[in-house]
Amino acid sequence: MNRREFLQVLAAASAAGMALDSPRALAAQGGEALYDLPRFGNVHLLHFTDCHAQLLPIHFREPSVNIGVGGATGKAPHLVGEHLLKAFGIAPRSLEAHAFTYLDFEQAARTYGTVGGFAHLTTLVKRLRASRPGALLLDGGDTWQGSATALWSKGQDMVDACRLLGVDMMAPHWEFTLGHERVKEIVEGDFKGRIEFLAQNVKTTDFNDPVFAPYALREMNGVSVAVIGQAFPYTPVANPRYMVPDWTFGIQEEEMQKVVDEVRAKGARVVVVLSHNGMDVDLKLASRVRGIDAILGGHTHDGVPQPVVVANPGGRTLVTNAGSNGKFLGVLDFDVREGRITDFRYRLLPVFSNLLPPDAAMAALVDKWRAPHLPKLGEKLAVTEAMLYRRGNFNGSWDQLILDAIMDVKGADIAFSPGFRWGTTLLPGQAITFEHLMDQTAITYPYATLTEMSGEQIKTILEDVGDNLFNPDPYYQQGGDMVRVGGMTYACDPAARIGHRIQDMRLNGKLMEADRKYKVAGWAPVAEGAQGEPIWEVVARWLRDRRTVSARRLNNPRLIGIQGNPGMA
């Protein structure tokens, strides 16, 4: 079946009366066997990451642009579309093809329905735990941020949901944007005796003391298992420093080796790192630190179907990344005999809400947290005529909408919007509700600003962010996407060295001048004391005025030197 035939089959099924979001459509694709995962071995780890507070099922489109440079070119996670399917042996037009790629996204999403949702995830976790005694559920972080209710409850809705879900351990990142006092309150209160908050690389600035437990040891079916936590290393750079004023972060490779050696000395036969480094950083770390059996990674939101096996002086390490938005659950099983791992199995399972009945207790908890806010959440701001999505190295239609809105409202020549990777997808014809807007913008420093910047300052910003994304040394990458740019155009050479990636900057077709001032709108400033109207109020006002939003013309840069790159559709 080719692509055209596939789309014809979907259209025919719909025309014949098969309801969109139909479990029958999933069953026709073999969905009933998707979660038939027999027990293997005696050490069992379940892993989700970067759910960004999405308690309900959603649509989430995977990127069509995820460029790798240098040694990462053509390798996971920098594979999109057909390249990813071929690399992992996934059948085109299958359920997995829809879950892991952007291909035919709109039609497949309408046919197969939504993904994720904590009530459906709970059902899957319970099913897997029933066949895997002692299985640990690991949360890779970016859990308490990303929705209106999480923002308004200071993360409490997600804390309650994770406790009910049965999370055993977690590693953090966006959690810190609630502020250090709130994080400590949750860790020392709600989590105490229930969920281990692990971060070996977070220390005090004065005496370099550990702030959180670096690891946890568990006995599982006669095997000692160690889980080491790794928080996002660049938290005080990518997010406001004033929110964590007394803590240091960093990759801390040498400290990681010491912790691995320590847990091995205490008898651990399986050592796992629960990481929020980003996959490229994890791949390098795995090649340099011995004694880690697996890294269960997050931060870069890469849904990678199978682990990358990395050789190092101590043997080999499996490196995984489990996507985002509650869309996937990773299942890693080790067979440990006579004190060593003899084999493993890994599956990254898409969480199709139409295949997994909602857990009643979790559904009730979600309803409880949402009930007081339903009128505000459900406000219809406009209707979109085209798909709205965020993921991609340079832009997405949701990002473009935000750029267009802030430029119009602020009267700016140029606009910048952060390269955030979180945010749900809307299909053409859907209403844009206030909740959907908050899915893109719900942060604790949401201020919209208008600033005069010189052409030289604008180029410096673009070069700095470009280096965070494309530096050939993963340890200098911060794992976000390129800042989204409105108004001006530019060219980008991802493989060039810093200071030389950004070229041909133009405004209204004319080359920009280094010493000329331009009015630049933006949001999410990391500087302490920044003020401004919350971005969601700016965009909501713009949407209410329009009522219908036409397709956004993406303002992507002209790319240089990436012809044939399998990270580019």
Side-chain angles (χ1 to χ4, degrees):
M1 184 185 292
N2 61 33
R3 178 178 176 182
R4 176 177 292 179
E5 291 168 339
F6 169 67
L7 294 176
Q8 288 173 343
V9 167
L10 295 185
S14 178
M18 180 179 286
L20 299 180
D21 299 352
S22 169
R24 287 182 293 162
L26 289 159
Q29 283 281 319
E32 67 279 356
L34 188 63
Y35 306 120
D36 183 13
L37 212 60
R39 178 186 176 184
F40 176 84
N42 48 3
V43 171
H44 314 291
L45 304 166
L46 310 179
H47 173 231
F48 73 96
T49 189
D50 297 276
C51 74
H52 284 285
Q54 293 304 313
L55 288 172
L56 294 180
I58 49 95
H59 292 296
F60 185 78
R61 177 190 182 272
E62 298 299 324
S64 53
V65 183
N66 188 356
I67 297 170
V69 296
T73 304
K75 299 177 182 177
H78 303 288
L79 300 166
V80 300
E82 287 91 350
H83 300 291
L84 185 147
L85 300 184
K86 183 177 179 181
F88 291 101
I90 298 174
R93 298 164 296 278
S94 63
L95 289 180
E96 289 87 348
H98 171 51
F100 288 107
T101 74
Y102 68 92
L103 298 169
D104 304 313
F105 184 84
E106 179 187 335
Q107 184 63 66
R110 291 188 186 279
T111 301
Y112 298 136
T114 53
V115 293
F118 261 52
H120 306 274
L121 177 62
T122 302
T123 298
L124 180 56
V125 168
K126 286 182 176 180
R127 183 179 300 182
L128 291 166
R129 276 183 154 161
S131 63
R132 287 165 168 76
L136 293 174
L137 179 58
L138 308 179
D139 173 2
D142 280 7
T143 306
W144 308 346
Q145 176 276 332
S147 73
T149 55
L151 180 69
W152 297 335
S153 69
K154 298 181 180 179
Q156 193 65 48
D157 63 336
M158 298 309 303
V159 169
D160 290 355
C162 286
R163 294 199 332 172
L164 184 58
L165 181 63
V167 170
D168 293 292
M169 304 166 192
M170 77 171 292
H173 170 207
W174 271 90
E175 286 68 24
F176 294 120
T177 64
L178 295 176
H180 65 287
E181 292 181 354
R182 176 62 174 148
V183 172
K184 294 285 280 187
E185 178 183 43
I186 292 171
V187 172
E188 295 170 1
D190 301 82
F191 277 14
K192 189 174 182 180
R194 301 189 64 168
I195 300 176
E196 298 268 12
F197 193 88
L198 306 175
Q200 74 85 23
N201 59 330
V202 181
K203 311 288 177 59
T204 61
T205 55
D206 49 8
F207 299 109
N208 203 38
D209 293 328
V211 178
F212 307 103
Y215 62 85
L217 285 166
R218 291 287 187 276
E219 193 81 11
M220 188 187 307
N221 303 315
V223 179
S224 179
V225 179
V227 178
I228 302 170
Q230 177 84 348
F232 178 52
Y234 293 103
T235 296
V237 179
N239 307 107
R241 175 65 185 167
Y242 62 83
M243 294 179 171
V244 284
D246 301 320
W247 300 342
T248 65
F249 291 75
I251 295 170
Q252 298 192 24
E253 179 187 293
E254 292 183 2
E255 290 299 312
M256 176 65 77
Q257 184 66 73
K258 292 177 183 177
V259 174
V260 172
D261 293 344
E262 179 180 337
V263 297
R264 288 288 184 188
K266 289 184 175 181
R269 294 293 178 252
V270 175
V271 177
V272 173
V273 173
L274 180 59
S275 167
H276 207 91
N277 281 331
M279 191 163 182
D280 285 333
V281 176
D282 285 335
L283 289 167
K284 180 174 179 178
L285 186 74
S287 73
R288 295 166 62 90
V289 176
R290 66 188 182 280
I292 300 172
D293 295 307
I295 299 178
L296 301 179
H299 180 61
T300 40
H301 293 199
D302 300 305
V304 181
Q306 288 294 324
V308 177
V309 181
V310 179
N312 56 55
R316 66 176 189 172
T317 301
L318 309 177
V319 178
T320 74
N321 205 279
S324 67
N325 287 270
K327 183 177 178 179
F328 297 103
L329 181 69
V331 185
L332 177 59
D333 296 320
F334 284 118
D335 189 20
V336 181
R337 299 171 185 264
E338 298 180 356
R340 68 182 186 88
I341 296 172
T342 61
D343 203 356
F344 75 93
R345 297 286 186 275
Y346 181 82
R347 285 286 301 277
L348 186 57
L349 297 175
V351 182
F352 282 103
S353 61
N354 277 327
L355 284 175
L356 297 161
D359 178 81
M362 183 63 78
L365 177 66
V366 173
D367 288 346
K368 169 194 163 186
W369 274 107
R370 292 174 54 78
H373 307 293
L374 286 177
K376 182 66 173 175
L377 295 173
E379 181 192 358
K380 179 180 173 181
L381 302 174
V383 173
T384 179
E385 294 181 342
M387 181 162 54
L388 293 177
Y389 65 90
R390 171 166 272 171
R391 273 303 308 273
N393 282 160
F394 293 99
N395 209 346
S397 47
W398 255 120
D399 300 294
Q400 190 65 54
L401 185 152
I402 293 170
L403 291 166
D404 293 345
I406 196 172
M407 281 193 296
D408 280 355
V409 173
K410 294 290 186 181
D413 303 313
I414 296 165
F416 289 158
S417 188
F420 294 148
R421 294 184 181 230
W422 41 270
T424 59
T425 299
L426 291 184
L427 302 181
Q430 279 192 265
I432 306 172
T433 66
F434 189 77
E435 180 171 21
H436 294 141
L437 176 58
M438 292 297 284
D439 286 349
Q440 316 299 319
T441 58
I443 64 174
T444 54
Y445 50 106
Y447 316 112
T449 60
L450 183 65
T451 309
E452 281 201 339
M453 294 185 184
S454 69
E456 182 179 7
Q457 288 174 315
I458 292 169
K459 185 176 190 298
T460 297
I461 289 171
L462 295 179
E463 290 282 6
D464 285 348
V465 180
D467 195 59
N468 292 340
L469 181 59
F470 295 120
N471 193 299
D473 185 344
Y475 280 8
Y476 290 94
Q477 297 173 10
Q478 293 181 20
D481 280 316
M482 187 67 181
V483 61
R484 283 61 167 110
V485 179
M488 61 170 280
T489 62
Y490 68 100
C492 177
D493 182 351
R497 68 184 189 276
I498 188 170
H500 295 80
R501 290 189 179 93
I502 307 303
Q503 306 170 23
D504 194 30
M505 293 168 40
R506 294 176 181 268
L507 183 63
N508 299 322
K510 296 182 179 180
L511 283 171
M512 294 175 62
E513 302 171 31
D515 57 354
R516 180 179 170 182
K517 296 286 188 179
Y518 301 89
K519 290 191 293 183
V520 181
W523 67 285
V526 298
E528 188 170 8
Q531 296 181 340
E533 187 179 13
I535 185 63
W536 53 77
E537 294 297 345
V538 174
V539 179
R541 190 160 64 249
W542 185 84
L543 288 169
R544 291 185 190 108
D545 288 343
R546 276 150 187 79
R547 298 189 179 183
T548 299
V549 178
S550 59
R552 301 290 95 189
R553 184 176 181 275
L554 299 189
N555 185 39
N556 282 318
R558 176 171 57 86
L559 297 178
I560 301 170
I562 55 89
Q563 293 79 7
N565 190 303
M568 184 84 179

